[in-house]
Amino acid sequence: MSLIPPISIITENKLNGDSFREWKRNLLIVLNCKKHKFVIDEPCPPEAQPKARNCWRDSDLIARCYMLASMSSVLQKQHENFHTAKEIMKKLEDMLGSQVTLAQQSAITNLMNSE
């Protein structure tokens, strides 16, 4: 039995705007597996800690590349100039996170009205 490379999890299920919750879950799995998730959760260390700062920046670059590679080209263009993975995630949550809530509210309303 062969294992699926973690990166294929997110490149085969690209974010297109409708799949944010699933995409984010898969992305965080991959970032955890590759030990880069901390850049989403933690700020960049101060300049007084150059080794930790460089490590954080390297991991952030990798996380940003994973994020951009797993998006539709339209979303890539909208987010390619953000400086950190955390900034990209925040923007996506602001932009697409509310769609999940609206879809859930609509589904509940439809269920209640169908009775």
Side-chain angles (χ1 to χ4, degrees):
M1 184 164 108
S2 64
L3 295 176
I4 299 171
I7 189 68
S8 68
I9 293 169
I10 54 176
T11 56
E12 290 176 9
N13 300 297
K14 288 193 175 207
L15 176 61
N16 59 22
D18 297 331
S19 57
F20 177 70
R21 181 178 272 170
E22 182 180 347
W23 173 85
K24 181 179 176 183
R25 184 176 55 247
N26 286 329
L27 174 72
L28 294 179
I29 289 168
V30 170
L31 291 179
N32 247 341
C33 178
K34 296 292 190 175
K35 299 182 184 321
H36 300 297
K37 183 181 175 287
F38 70 96
V39 299
I40 301 290
D41 302 326
E42 301 171 16
C44 184
E47 289 184 26
Q49 300 173 359
K51 188 174 179 180
R53 188 174 179 86
N54 287 338
C55 176
W56 189 94
R57 284 183 170 168
D58 290 346
S59 286
D60 185 64
L61 176 61
I62 292 167
R64 285 179 51 241
C65 289
Y66 281 166
M67 293 172 89
L68 292 171
S70 65
M71 294 178 188
S72 69
S73 58
V74 171
L75 289 171
Q76 283 176 347
K77 288 175 187 169
Q78 291 175 347
H79 295 88
E80 65 190 0
N81 293 323
F82 283 85
H83 296 287
T84 66
K86 189 173 190 168
E87 288 176 358
I88 294 172
M89 185 61 75
K90 173 75 172 114
K91 178 65 175 173
L92 289 170
E93 285 173 342
D94 291 347
M95 204 168 87
L96 302 173
S98 63
Q99 289 179 354
V100 173
T101 304
L102 292 174
Q104 289 171 337
Q105 289 173 349
S106 177
I108 290 169
T109 302
N110 289 337
L111 282 172
M112 293 176 75
N113 289 337
S114 67
E115 292 180 3

